[in-house]
Amino acid sequence: MKPVLLSGDEAVARGAFEAGCAVAAAYPGTPSTEILENLARYENVWCQWGSNEKVALEIALGASIGGARALAAMKHVGLNVAADPLLSMGYAGVNGGLVVVSADDPGCHSSQNEQDNRLYAPLAKVAMVEPSDSEECRTYIRAAFDLSEAFDTPVLFRMTTRVCHSKSLVVPGVPRDPAMKPYVRNTGKFALLPTVARVRHRLVEEKLLALEEYANTSPLNRIEWGASREVGIITSGIAYQHAREVFGDGASYLKLGLTFPLPSKLIRTFARSVSRLYVIEEGEPYLETKVRLLGFDCIGKELVPLCGELDAGILRAAFLPQPSPAGQKEDAPALPVAPPRPPVLCAGCPHRGFYAALGRRKKSVVGVGDIGCYGLGVNPPLEGFDYSICMGSSFSSAIGFSRALAQRGDARKVFAILGDSTFFHSGIPGLVDAVHLGANVCCCILDNRITAMTGHQETPGTARDLMGNEVVPVDVVALVKATGLPEERIRVVDPLDLAATGAAMDEAIAAQGPFVIVSRRPCVLLKDVAKSFEGQWCEVDQELCRQCRQCLKIGCPAIASKEGRIVIDDPVLCTGCGLCMQVCPFGAIRKGGSAR
C-alpha cells in the first residue's frame, strides 16, 4: 500500500485494526482521545467510551478473557484510575491479547501533572512497549498484541504527546483476521482469590524472566552503530528522535522499544562497546537507573532535564554547548514566538453565567473546582474557585474542606463544581458520601451535555454513543435523587439566567447540609447550538454606557475596552447570549443581531 501521513494516535488505531482488535474502550483525555475516534471508523471493531478509565480497561479486559483482542486507551493520569484492574490483570494474564495505551503529557500541556507512566510497568509486572514515530505506532501495536498472547500478559503501550500528535509516513499493512480465541472457564487463572493470586504471582515472576530473555533479541530493541563508538546513547520513545537530530550518525544508539522488562544482556553489550555512555530519556531516570544497577557509569539526568518536554535545542545545550563539530546537525532557526494568549472560557459559554452568579456571592461561598474546561473559571476576572486536584475530587474533597472551615469558625458554604462528564467519571461517589454524611456543601454539576474540553466526546448523558448508535441517556437529576436527597434541596437552572441561578445559590447558602445545583445548558460550540446563534450579537449604546466596566468582569473575549469605550470587539465571536446585558446596570447593552 502507498504510504500515508498519520499522527501517532491515528497510526495506533490503524495498527490495532490490522492486529485484529475486536473491542476497544477509552475515556477521552489529551493526548490520547483521537485513538478511539479513529479506531471507531474501522469495520469489525466495537469501540465505546467508558464512563472512566477503570471502566474502559475493565470493558477491554472482559473482552480479552472472553477471547477477543482488546485495547484500552487513556491519558497518563487516567491510568491512576485504572491501576486496580491493571495490576490485577498483571497476575491474571490474558486470553485474547490485551493492550493498554497510556499517553503521557510531559510539559503538562493539558494535565495536572507530568507523571512518567513507564514506572507502572514494573509495578504492575506487565510488558511495556514504546514507539518513537507513527510507523512504529502501527507496527509496535501489532507486535504488542502478539507479545500479549505469547507471554500471557497485558502490554502497556506508552506514548507521549509528541508521538501522539506528530505526523509521519506510515505504510498500511494487511489486516489480520480478527479470529476469536476460544473461551474456557479457568478459575485458577482469572478468579483472583488469595489462593489463586499467590500461585499467579510466582508464575508472573517466571514469565518476566522469559520476557527479559526475549527482550535481548527482540526486533523492538536494536543497536544502531554510528561512524564512531566514542559516544553511545541509550534511549527510547520520542527522546530517540531528539537524540538523532542532535548527534546524527556520528554517535551509536541502543534504541529500546520493548522497555519492560529491560534487556540486561543487550544493555551490557552496548555499554561495553562505547567509550562514553549517555542515557537520553524524557521524564524520570527510568532507563538510567537500570543502566547504573547493571554497574555502568553514564551521563543522564545530571544533564538532561527531568521536568518538562525535551527537544533538540535542550539536548544540544546540555551536551554540546560549544559550536557543533562537523557532521553533527544544527538546530533549525528559531520560529517567531506567538503573542501570549491566556486561556479563557469561550464567548457564549454557559459556565460563564454560573461563575458570574457565584462571583456575586464571594463573601458567602468558597469554590472547589475539578478537571474540565470549566476549570478555566479559576482565572481572573471570574476567580470561581480556590483549588482543583484531580478528576472527581471536588465533591469528595469538599466534604473535608467544609469540616475544616467549620472547625475554624469560617461560615462560608463550600460550592464544589464539576462537569457532567466528570460527574459520571468519578463525581458520583463523592455526591453519595456528601449526602450520606450530611456534609454542608453545595454540589454543582455544570451539565453542558458533552465532554467539551477534549473535543465533544459522548458521555453517558448523551443520546448517541461513539459509534453513532442511539442509546438511552442517563439522567443526571435522577441519579442525584437516587441518593435520597430531598427534592427541595435540588435545583436545575439555566446558567445564562443570572437571576434564577443566583436565587438557587442563595437557597443553597441558606440551607444547612447538602444541596445540589444542576447548571444545565449545552456547550455553545456544539454544531446545532452554534447554528442557533448565527446572526446574533450584542452591541453597546455609547450614550448610555457609563464605563462602569461591570460587563468586563464576566471575562467574555467578545467584549473589550478600546480607546476609552466599551465595545463588542468581535461581533462574529459574540453569540448574543445576553449575559453582558444582564450585568450592565445602565441598560447600555442590547441585542444587535437578529434576535430569535
Side-chain angles (χ1 to χ4, degrees):
M1 295 187 185
K2 291 183 178 178
V4 292
L5 195 62
L6 296 181
S7 70
D9 283 352
E10 292 168 331
V12 165
R14 174 71 200 184
F17 164 66
E18 293 177 7
C21 176
V23 174
Y27 183 80
T30 305
S32 67
T33 307
E34 293 85 354
I35 293 173
L36 258 284
E37 290 179 329
N38 283 278
L39 190 51
R41 296 170 183 167
Y42 292 101
E43 293 183 353
N44 301 322
V45 189
W46 187 83
C47 295
Q48 294 298 344
W49 300 119
S51 57
N52 63 37
E53 294 85 355
K54 180 175 184 288
V55 173
L57 178 50
E58 288 165 349
I59 290 172
L61 75 86
S64 167
I65 292 172
R69 285 192 162 188
L71 177 146
M74 58 203 72
K75 67 180 297 173
H76 62 307
V77 289
L79 196 58
N80 301 336
V81 181
D84 197 357
L86 177 68
L87 268 67
S88 296
M89 286 302 284
Y91 276 26
V94 305
N95 185 18
L98 176 61
V99 176
V100 182
V101 179
S102 168
D104 293 10
D105 185 19
C108 296
H109 294 288
S110 57
S111 309
Q112 64 267 40
N113 69 29
E114 52 180 344
Q115 68 188 48
D116 186 339
N117 276 4
R118 293 180 298 174
L119 302 177
Y120 262 113
L123 178 66
K125 300 183 181 295
V126 300
M128 178 165 62
V129 170
E130 286 187 80
S132 295
D133 59 25
S134 296
E135 176 63 2
E136 287 189 354
C137 286
R138 184 190 71 82
T139 57
Y140 282 17
I141 201 92
R142 294 187 62 149
F145 277 107
D146 293 340
L147 272 176
S148 176
E149 293 179 354
F151 289 92
D152 189 20
T153 177
V155 175
L156 183 63
F157 197 82
R158 193 256 189 175
M159 305 170 72
T160 54
T161 302
R162 296 303 159 191
V163 175
C164 291
H165 289 167
S166 298
K167 292 202 172 190
S168 57
L169 289 176
V170 169
V171 182
V174 178
R176 173 188 184 276
D177 180 7
M180 300 279 290
K181 296 185 73 174
Y183 169 69
V184 179
R185 182 174 186 264
N186 188 350
T187 55
K189 176 175 167 62
F190 291 118
L192 289 179
L193 303 175
T195 52
V196 173
R198 284 193 284 270
V199 174
R200 295 297 307 175
H201 188 185
R202 286 194 291 273
L203 294 174
V204 168
E205 297 301 332
E206 294 171 6
K207 186 167 52 185
L208 290 177
L209 292 175
L211 252 174
E212 180 179 339
E213 196 61 33
Y214 168 78
N216 288 305
T217 56
S218 168
L220 303 184
N221 296 327
R222 64 175 185 266
I223 293 175
E224 300 173 356
W225 295 118
S228 163
R229 298 193 182 187
E230 174 65 22
V231 172
I233 299 169
I234 300 177
T235 184
S236 67
I238 193 64
Y240 165 76
Q241 304 289 0
H242 298 322
R244 268 283 181 192
E245 186 171 346
V246 172
F247 293 93
D249 294 332
S252 297
Y253 301 85
L254 173 54
K255 198 272 187 189
L256 297 173
L258 175 53
T259 49
F260 187 77
L262 285 164
S264 299
K265 292 179 183 176
L266 189 62
I267 292 172
R268 287 192 185 99
T269 298
F270 183 76
R272 288 168 179 158
S273 303
V274 297
S275 301
R276 278 182 292 158
L277 189 60
Y278 297 163
V279 179
I280 297 179
E281 57 190 324
E282 211 167 46
E284 301 294 327
Y286 171 76
L287 302 177
E288 181 181 343
T289 300
K290 175 69 174 181
V291 171
R292 293 188 183 281
L293 283 173
L294 290 174
F296 295 98
D297 192 21
C298 62
I299 297 174
K301 288 302 172 186
E302 61 204 88
L303 291 182
V304 181
L306 188 146
C307 302
E309 274 194 308
L310 293 182
D311 59 33
I314 291 172
L315 292 185
R316 182 178 296 283
F319 288 93
L320 306 170
Q322 301 302 317
S324 300
Q328 291 175 338
K329 297 181 180 179
E330 295 285 354
D331 290 338
L335 297 173
V337 178
R341 189 186 66 166
V344 296
L345 294 171
C346 302
C349 174
H351 301 332
R352 179 172 288 102
F354 176 87
Y355 285 124
L358 194 66
R360 294 180 170 188
R361 291 156 180 83
K362 278 187 176 176
K363 292 183 179 178
S364 304
V365 303
V366 184
V368 175
D370 217 294
I371 308 298
C373 57
Y374 47 88
L376 297 174
V378 72
N379 296 323
L382 296 172
E383 298 181 326
F385 56 87
D386 286 10
Y387 72 83
S388 66
I389 303 299
C390 61
M391 286 286 283
S393 65
S394 61
F395 282 8
S396 42
S397 73
I399 298 170
F401 188 50
S402 66
R403 288 296 304 173
L405 292 185
Q407 288 180 7
R408 61 190 306 277
D410 189 331
R412 290 178 294 172
K413 185 98 174 188
V414 177
F415 274 52
I417 303 158
L418 49 68
D420 50 333
S421 184
T422 309
F423 177 67
F424 291 120
H425 179 282
S426 48
I428 294 173
L431 174 66
V432 169
D433 280 358
V435 173
H436 180 63
L437 300 175
N440 188 30
V441 301
C442 178
C443 295
C444 306
I445 304 165
L446 275 51
D447 182 3
N448 63 358
R449 320 302 294 169
I450 204 73
T451 310
M453 184 170 68
T454 48
H456 288 174
Q457 290 75 36
E458 296 77 9
T459 77
T462 55
R464 289 192 181 276
D465 65 15
L466 173 61
M467 303 181 73
N469 304 309
E470 288 189 13
V471 292
V472 177
V474 177
D475 187 342
V476 167
V477 176
L479 284 176
V480 173
K481 290 179 179 177
T483 64
L485 189 68
E487 287 203 30
E488 59 265 27
R489 286 177 174 266
I490 303 171
R491 295 290 180 273
V492 180
V493 298
D494 177 352
L496 293 186
D497 183 339
L498 277 184
T501 302
M505 290 177 175
D506 289 339
E507 289 184 89
I509 293 167
Q512 276 297 312
F515 202 96
V516 169
I517 295 176
V518 179
S519 171
R520 175 171 289 168
R521 180 174 269 264
C523 174
V524 71
L525 297 183
L526 288 169
K527 286 183 181 177
D528 290 343
V529 178
K531 191 174 181 180
S532 71
F533 284 124
E534 281 181 358
Q536 297 184 60
W537 67 86
C538 291
E539 60 187 17
V540 181
D541 186 326
Q542 298 299 329
E543 291 187 1
L544 295 178
C545 178
R546 297 292 182 269
Q547 300 288 325
C548 69
R549 305 173 77 86
Q550 288 297 312
C551 55
L552 299 182
K553 293 182 179 179
I554 62 174
C556 178
I559 194 167
S561 175
K562 281 193 170 180
E563 298 176 351
R565 302 165 70 231
I566 302 296
V567 295
I568 301 299
D569 190 40
D570 188 345
V572 175
L573 193 63
C574 177
T575 64
C577 73
L579 197 60
C580 54
M581 294 168 57
Q582 296 179 61
V583 300
C584 177
F586 304 106
I589 305 177
R590 59 174 179 257
K591 292 277 186 178
S594 53
R596 288 184 305 147

